[in-house]
Amino acid sequence: MKPILIEEVQDILETFENKELYFHLETTSGAYAAQNKEKLAVGAYIRNGSLQFTNVKIAGSGPFRVGFKLKEGWMYAEGLTDYQLDDGRLLMAGHDDSGRLAIAVQLSYTPFD
């Protein structure tokens, strides 16, 4: 993965506009927070959801946030630090200072395994 370059990732995201996509969205504080009784462990996981967005914007100065304008609302992810594009699939992820995964967003034209 590479650190997010906002202009480069914005250009990639725009290639997915107005297309039928599969998405993966995952967040976690998971075991990292569970070890600390003062923190609440939280997480969310969606795999192979269907998505079509008409507009997309990545913003921030790092970590970054990305918003997807849907037909009837918005999808939003925050805390993104890195990305990679492989075989037409975009992976954006957010890692903490220790390199642990906190958030992942993937877009693909085909379902994920």
Side-chain angles (χ1 to χ4, degrees):
M1 297 194 81
K2 303 186 299 189
I4 286 177
L5 301 172
I6 198 165
E7 297 85 7
E8 189 171 316
V9 174
Q10 179 68 44
D11 288 345
I12 294 168
L13 285 165
E14 289 175 4
T15 67
F16 289 98
E17 286 182 343
N18 299 304
K19 306 226 172 72
E20 291 290 328
L21 303 170
Y22 292 90
F23 77 99
H24 173 84
L25 175 63
E26 177 178 353
T27 65
T28 185
S29 64
Y32 322 136
Q35 295 171 4
N36 182 339
K37 299 287 184 211
E38 296 176 11
K39 292 187 178 180
L40 176 66
V42 298
Y45 184 89
I46 301 167
R47 186 127 177 117
N48 287 322
S50 62
L51 175 73
Q52 184 174 4
F53 55 88
T54 59
N55 193 4
V56 62
K57 179 71 175 171
I58 186 167
S61 57
F64 299 92
R65 61 192 174 277
V66 64
F68 301 89
K69 174 67 175 111
L70 309 174
K71 180 179 177 183
E72 297 183 14
W74 285 87
M75 185 173 91
Y76 170 81
E78 185 170 10
L80 301 166
T81 57
D82 306 289
Y83 81 101
Q84 70 183 42
L85 183 64
D86 285 323
D87 296 323
R89 290 182 166 186
L90 175 63
L91 167 60
M92 297 176 289
H95 298 93
D96 68 12
D97 292 339
S98 299
R100 297 177 296 206
L101 180 68
I103 185 167
V105 178
Q106 290 180 282
L107 301 175
S108 175
Y109 297 106
T110 58
F112 299 100
D113 295 332

